[in-house]
């Protein structure tokens, strides 16, 4: 550890590692401080994929998409409350972010859909595995290859300001007490606050009693540290619940299961919602059921296409049987009803018209290959859409509406990109696109001072 670096990055999730790599490639000497014993943050748990429009992989696969469509669908999903400047920046730089990852050996060329999009736009690893672990592994390899120092068990407590400019941090290494490390710029990439249930329920009292899918380090530290030096926040009460969380373990069940064809049924064995609706609407439909939970139902084809299912089976989340009737029996459900639900679903897939709930995507695969599977799920706290106010240069904005010099932020710690409802796959786009921008912009700032 040195007593000074060009730029200090707080947090080693996707946004932090991306910022560090970009800053290094732009000529800076960065350091990453991570408070947990392991790197990766909540990014490690992310499952669906990375949304990006007009990418080379979409073109190769004959998928027609445009930045305008990506923008409009994200804005509609966020109920028109997304920050237009930030959303434009995200969308317009999404394809180049896919290319950038590809040049680093991180290839997301397996494309699916999540709720709230009309075309396949969610880019996943080619083997269908969860995006988070793959991404963290790839980014970490690039951090190591560039010899960027990454210190774990290093909790940043404060951003230091000198002459109105960010000039370093106070950090506690291994609980040995705080020391000051100085720098020309600071990038906050500390993630959200979904693991701080007190903070969550203070901002959104209706979420009392929900489980959280977040790793324990997601406690909003970066938001509090930046607020202490005058930063503004936006949309703090906009907290996303994810519809498909295994309740006993708080484990998120990936949206890719629905994207690859699964349906949701209630305890009676009947569909009750367009499964590809946005997360807020699917969650509300589950909460409106008398039982307050639902089952994801799928077949061996979905299991083969979504590798995460194997993990869910190992963890004991999945019930399965050779026939639909037998599976229904295990779930305490009427076999004839569930069988009828699947028969009509397969007719819907054949006709491509969902008369019951108007589902328009993920209609490609009938659920017809034994064995059949079920996972019981209900909503859980998942993502905090609000956070630090930034501009499209990833600069942190003060409560006086001015730029705080030398201070940058990227990823879930920021607010504005997603508005009041995040589309699945947009968090990974956010951390890569704005992580890169924070790295590049902090570099040009630091170099302009030299
Ligand atoms: P993002 O998706 O925006 O990159 P993540 O949740 O993946 O966010 O990563 C944020 C990381 O920041 C986590 O690993 C978390 O433990 C770490 N972190 C949070 N607060 C601090 C802090 N005060 N000091 C150092 N690291 C922190």
């Amino acid at each position: 550890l040195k007593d000074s670096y060009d730029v200090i990055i707080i947090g080693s999730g996707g946004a932090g590692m991306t910022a560090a790599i970009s800053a290094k490639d732009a000529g800076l000497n960065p350091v990453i401080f991570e408070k947990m014993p392991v790197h990766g943050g909540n990014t490690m748990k992310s499952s669906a994929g990375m949304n990006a429009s007009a990418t080379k992989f979409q073109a190769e696969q004959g998928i027609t998409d445009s930045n305008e469509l990506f923008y409009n669908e994200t804005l509609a999903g966020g109920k028109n409350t997304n920050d237009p400047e930030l959303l434009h920046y995200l969308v317009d730089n999404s394809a180049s972010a896919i290319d950038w990852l590809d040049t680093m050996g991180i290839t997301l060329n397996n494309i699916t859909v999540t709720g709230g999009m009309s075309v396949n736009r969610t880019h996943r690893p080619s083997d269908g595995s969860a995006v988070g672990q793959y991404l963290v592994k790839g980014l970490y390899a690039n951090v190591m290859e560039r010899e960027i120092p990454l210190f774990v068990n290093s909790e940043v407590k404060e951003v230091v300001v000198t002459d109105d400019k960010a000039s370093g941090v106070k950090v506690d290494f291994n609980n040995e007490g705080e020391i000051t490390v100085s720098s020309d710029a600071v990038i906050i990439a500390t993630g959200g606050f979904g693991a701080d249930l007190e903070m969550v329920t203070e901002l959104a009292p209706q979420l009392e009693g929900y489980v959280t899918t977040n790793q324990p380090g997601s406690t909003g530290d970066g938001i509090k540290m930046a607020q202490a030096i005058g930063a503004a926040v936006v949309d703090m009460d906009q907290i996303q619940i994810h519809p498909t969380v295994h309740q006993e373990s708080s484990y998120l069940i990936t949206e890719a299961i629905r994207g690859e064809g699964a349906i949701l049924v209630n305890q009676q064995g009947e569909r009750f919602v367009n499964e590809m609706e946005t997360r807020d609407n699917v969650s509300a439909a589950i909460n409106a059921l008398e039982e307050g939970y639902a089952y994801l139902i799928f077949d061996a084809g979905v299991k083969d296409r979504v590798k995460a299912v194997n993990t869910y089976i190992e963890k004991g989340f999945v019930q399965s049987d050779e026939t639909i009737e037998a599976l229904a029996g295990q779930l305490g459900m009427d076999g004839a009803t569930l069988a009828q639900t699947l028969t009509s679903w397969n007719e819907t897939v054949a006709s491509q018209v969902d008369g019951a709930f108007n589902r328009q995507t993920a209609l490609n695969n009938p659920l017809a290959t034994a064995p059949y599977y079920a996972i019981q799920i209900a909503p859980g706290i998942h993502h905090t859409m609000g956070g630090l106010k930034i501009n499209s240069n990833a600069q942190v904005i003060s409560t006086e509406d001015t730029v705080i010099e030398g201070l940058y932020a990227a990823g879930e710690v920021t607010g504005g990109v997603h508005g009041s409802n995040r589309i699945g796959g947009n968090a990974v786009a956010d951390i890569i696109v704005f992580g890169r921008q924070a790295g590049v912009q902090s570099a040009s700032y630091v170099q302009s001072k030299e």
Side-chain angles (χ1 to χ4, degrees):
L1 177 74
K2 299 194 288 186
D3 48 16
S4 163
Y5 293 88
D6 292 335
V7 57
I8 292 171
I9 293 137
I10 317 172
S12 69
M17 289 198 284
T18 299
I21 292 166
S22 301
K24 178 84 183 187
D25 289 351
L28 296 192
N29 264 318
V31 64
I32 306 175
F33 293 140
E34 166 58 53
K35 74 170 174 180
M36 300 301 284
V38 287
H39 66 273
N42 256 350
T43 302
M44 191 74 179
K45 292 185 144 201
S46 107
S47 61
M50 170 167 161
N51 295 339
S53 48
T55 66
K56 64 175 179 194
F57 297 129
Q58 284 177 317
E60 275 167 24
Q61 294 168 40
I63 299 164
T64 309
D65 195 6
S66 69
N67 291 355
E68 197 188 351
L69 188 62
F70 183 14
Y71 182 91
N72 288 336
E73 291 185 341
T74 301
L75 193 63
K79 303 194 182 66
N80 279 298
T81 59
N82 316 54
D83 180 316
E85 176 191 336
L86 298 180
L87 184 54
H88 271 300
Y89 189 84
L90 177 87
V91 163
D92 295 345
N93 292 280
S94 62
S96 67
I98 289 280
D99 293 342
W100 180 77
L101 288 171
D102 195 29
T103 62
M104 298 198 305
I106 302 169
T107 303
L108 301 175
N109 60 357
N110 180 348
I111 314 174
T112 185
V113 279
T114 70
M117 67 188 71
S118 63
V119 299
N120 282 28
R121 181 180 294 143
T122 307
H123 293 62
R124 321 186 70 220
S126 57
D127 65 355
S129 63
V131 74
Q133 288 172 23
Y134 175 77
L135 191 61
V136 166
K137 193 169 163 234
L139 290 172
Y140 186 69
N142 278 275
V143 165
M144 290 296 105
E145 197 183 294
R146 287 165 177 74
E147 297 179 345
I148 299 169
L150 188 166
F151 294 94
V152 296
N153 294 314
S154 303
E155 181 170 352
V156 175
K157 301 283 199 183
E158 211 177 293
V159 176
V160 181
V161 175
T162 312
D163 297 335
D164 296 329
K165 300 178 181 68
S167 63
V169 300
K170 289 191 177 161
V171 54
D172 183 356
F173 288 100
N174 305 312
N175 279 319
E176 286 165 4
E178 280 175 39
I179 57 163
T180 301
V181 181
S182 62
S183 63
D184 289 327
V186 174
I187 299 174
I188 303 179
T190 48
F193 57 92
D196 185 340
L197 294 179
E198 219 168 280
M199 190 170 169
V200 165
T201 47
E202 210 166 280
L203 289 157
Q206 75 278 15
L207 298 181
E208 182 85 53
Y210 276 82
V211 300
T212 179
T213 63
N214 283 211
Q215 67 106 3
S218 298
T219 49
D221 302 13
I223 297 174
K224 294 167 201 159
M225 275 187 264
Q227 279 189 296
I229 58 167
V233 292
V234 293
D235 299 341
M236 287 296 286
D237 58 347
Q238 298 301 321
I239 297 168
Q240 178 165 69
I241 53 175
H242 190 292
T244 63
V245 178
H246 180 258
Q247 297 291 296
E248 288 70 28
S249 63
S250 305
Y251 210 92
L252 184 134
I253 306 301
T254 180
E255 203 161 338
I257 292 193
R258 281 172 283 148
E260 290 299 320
I263 57 170
L264 283 168
V265 304
N266 59 21
Q267 184 59 51
Q268 285 71 52
E270 290 160 344
R271 286 180 71 217
F272 57 93
V273 69
N274 166 5
E275 295 86 350
M276 300 310 292
E277 260 289 354
T278 50
R279 290 173 170 183
D280 52 344
N281 290 336
V282 178
S283 295
I286 296 169
N287 285 337
L289 297 173
E290 203 179 316
E291 58 272 28
Y293 61 81
Y295 294 97
L296 279 163
I297 302 285
F298 52 98
D299 73 343
V302 174
K303 173 183 173 284
D304 285 347
R305 290 188 295 276
V306 184
K307 290 287 175 283
V309 172
N310 294 324
T311 310
Y312 306 152
I313 291 173
E314 277 161 30
K315 290 184 179 290
F317 303 164
V318 185
Q319 283 158 290
S320 77
D321 224 310
E322 283 306 315
T323 66
I324 297 162
E325 288 79 2
L327 180 64
Q330 285 194 41
L331 306 177
M333 210 177 262
D334 179 49
T337 309
L338 186 62
Q340 180 53 49
T341 297
L342 265 86
T343 304
S344 7
W345 174 248
N346 291 337
E347 285 163 12
T348 295
V349 171
S351 69
Q352 296 284 299
V353 179
D354 178 15
F357 298 103
N358 197 26
R359 170 161 157 179
Q360 301 196 348
T361 54
L363 287 171
N364 307 334
N365 303 295
L367 299 174
T369 314
Y372 294 91
Y373 299 89
I375 305 177
Q376 188 180 317
I377 51 81
I381 293 161
H382 183 51
H383 184 95
T384 49
M385 271 111 25
L388 297 176
K389 185 171 182 182
I390 57 165
N391 61 20
S392 58
N393 287 331
Q395 291 170 296
V396 176
I397 305 301
S398 78
T399 50
E400 315 275 278
D401 212 24
T402 56
V403 161
I404 301 179
E405 266 195 64
L407 189 62
Y408 298 80
E412 194 175 347
V413 72
T414 68
V417 171
H418 308 292
S420 58
N421 177 64
R422 182 172 67 79
I423 300 292
N426 274 356
V428 175
D430 185 14
I431 60 181
I432 304 300
V433 169
F434 281 97
R436 287 181 77 196
Q437 177 70 324
V440 168
Q441 292 298 329
S442 65
S444 59
Y445 168 74
V446 171
Q447 286 153 355
S448 74
K449 295 200 335 177
E450 278 161 5

